[in-house]
Amino acid sequence: MTIKKRLYWSASLYLLLSIHFVHASYLEVTLLGTGTPRPDISRFGPSTVIEAKGRYFVFDSGRGTTIRLQQAGIPLAQIEQVFITHLHSDHVSGLPDLWLSSWIWQRQNKLHIYGPVGIQNMTDHIKLAFQADLDYRIENSGLNPLTAEINTTEIKSEGVIYNKEGVQITAFFVDHGLVKPAFGYRLDSGDRSVVISGDTSYSENLIKFAKGTDLLIHEVAAADETLLQNNRRLQKIIRYHTSPDQAAMVFNKVQPRVAIYSHLLLFGINEQQLLEKTKSLYQGAVYIGEDLLKIGVGKNITVYPTAASQ
Ligand SMILES: [Zn+2]
Ligand SMILES: [Zn+2]
């Protein structure tokens, strides 16, 4: 091969590789909390973090979010964007801690919180509730009052709510009974995407927005039949969540590369039974989520086992 030819080939190869790297993107998802309102040491309150383009995006902030972030090795100071699906307490009870702890640990910018109508009222009152602490720390520890501010966005309608530096986040309506509005979110970066259902019953709108996503993180609720028959409160709860049969129907229509259950509301049914039921109705890859489960979404999707499951 002549030198000219060799140069030509190496230049072409370089071009090919750089095109590949420009378009190929990678998302790292960590399930911080996969639980419900029930206090549970192994399943903290609902929260998921996605790392995209070197930045972190937190979805919901249930009980213990900061502890799980710490365990996952994600610096609190780097949490600047939080997206709330709905205002049920299990999805927001970790919010004051996330806001204050990320500030104390030197967050460089304001915390931006997105959520349904009502989130402004909540952040205004969280600030009021912690006014004494803010005053102490600004005065005694010299913490920055500007970064203590919360930038709140109330989402009024569905569509793209965030689009910066190669990361786009879309909010869409889901159906969570009386809790209106309740949102699901889709994060897109390059050719990769992740969808988070939030709390919802079977939702055609979710299917529309989630279609063909790489990773679908979906809630689920299931109860033993005899338990359900005699319990009206339980019947009500189950009605505004998604049953395993319905979840399988959603997965079949969305066709995600991987589906993962989070926010597991199980009554008299164990996780293995839930998985078997789903697998009998859906042939694709499906996993039971657990706290600190990491999922790499790139050309391949890798589900890393947690220390607890090894
Ligand atoms: Zn919930
Ligand atoms: Zn809820």
Side-chain angles (χ1 to χ4, degrees):
M1 205 185 275
T2 64
I3 290 181
K4 232 181 177 180
K5 254 191 180 167
R6 210 173 286 171
L7 271 174
Y8 170 78
W9 281 114
S10 49
S12 316
L13 188 69
Y14 174 76
L15 200 69
L16 211 84
L17 282 174
S18 44
I19 287 170
H20 177 75
F21 284 120
V22 165
H23 289 286
S25 40
Y26 177 78
L27 305 172
E28 192 160 274
V29 181
T30 307
L31 305 183
L32 297 171
T34 57
T36 63
R38 181 190 299 152
D40 182 342
I41 188 67
S42 62
R43 292 192 183 278
F44 281 12
S47 187
T48 302
V49 62
I50 305 177
E51 184 184 355
K53 306 271 183 201
R55 279 167 295 136
Y56 295 98
F57 301 87
V58 173
F59 295 87
D60 282 334
S61 184
R63 181 187 298 121
T65 300
T66 53
I67 295 176
R68 292 299 193 218
L69 281 166
Q70 188 81 7
Q71 285 179 293
I74 297 171
L76 287 175
Q78 289 191 31
I79 304 301
E80 295 182 355
Q81 310 287 340
V82 181
F83 301 81
I84 300 298
T85 59
H86 65 297
L87 299 180
H88 260 151
S89 60
D90 52 321
H91 296 254
V92 290
S93 62
L95 205 49
D97 184 22
L98 182 59
W99 161 55
L100 287 166
S101 298
S102 58
W103 175 56
I104 294 167
W105 269 271
Q106 310 288 319
R107 178 165 30 75
Q108 296 299 302
N109 293 296
K110 292 178 191 175
L111 185 66
H112 202 141
I113 301 178
Y114 300 77
V117 170
I119 192 74
Q120 182 74 59
N121 188 34
M122 180 173 281
T123 54
D124 286 349
H125 285 87
I126 289 175
K127 272 204 71 183
L128 274 178
F130 286 91
Q131 195 57 55
D133 182 67
L134 294 176
D135 293 343
Y136 300 145
R137 292 186 196 277
I138 289 165
E139 200 144 307
N140 298 338
S141 318
L143 280 176
N144 187 350
L146 295 175
T147 55
E149 291 299 322
I150 304 175
N151 214 337
T152 309
T153 300
E154 286 201 332
I155 307 166
K156 302 269 164 46
S157 55
E158 57 186 11
V160 175
I161 52 158
Y162 178 99
N163 197 355
K164 250 183 243 165
E165 295 159 17
V167 179
Q168 178 179 293
I169 295 170
T170 306
F172 55 88
F173 293 123
V174 291
D175 187 359
H176 192 31
L178 288 175
V179 185
K180 280 185 200 308
F183 289 109
Y185 291 106
R186 176 181 175 125
L187 182 148
D188 285 276
S189 180
D191 48 2
R192 302 292 169 226
S193 67
V194 176
V195 172
I196 291 164
S197 74
D199 282 11
T200 184
S201 52
Y202 176 84
S203 164
E204 280 292 344
N205 199 45
L206 177 140
I207 293 166
K208 187 178 114 191
F209 278 88
K211 218 152 219 153
T213 187
D214 292 302
L215 176 66
L216 174 58
I217 299 167
H218 205 288
E219 70 119 87
V220 68
D224 175 72
E225 273 307 317
T226 45
L227 217 80
L228 201 58
Q229 270 166 18
N230 307 315
N231 191 330
R232 296 210 41 194
R233 185 165 170 254
L234 195 53
Q235 290 167 12
K236 254 190 171 173
I237 293 173
I238 291 282
R239 224 172 290 142
Y240 57 79
H241 290 283
T242 305
S243 72
D245 301 50
Q246 291 170 329
M249 211 189 306
V250 172
F251 300 161
N252 275 312
K253 291 189 178 178
V254 169
Q255 291 288 315
R257 288 166 69 204
V258 167
I260 293 196
Y261 280 133
S262 189
H263 196 283
L264 288 91
L265 274 164
L266 301 180
F267 306 90
I269 277 185
N270 66 37
E271 294 166 7
Q272 198 50 39
Q273 289 168 311
L274 165 66
L275 196 61
E276 279 166 18
K277 175 80 194 157
T278 312
K279 284 190 167 176
S280 72
L281 300 164
Y282 174 64
Q283 310 305 312
V286 55
Y287 295 83
I288 301 278
E290 46 188 293
D291 287 22
L292 296 172
L293 189 73
K294 225 172 235 192
I295 309 113
V297 180
K299 191 162 174 271
N300 298 310
I301 298 190
T302 313
V303 179
Y304 299 98
T306 64
S309 66
Q310 275 172 329

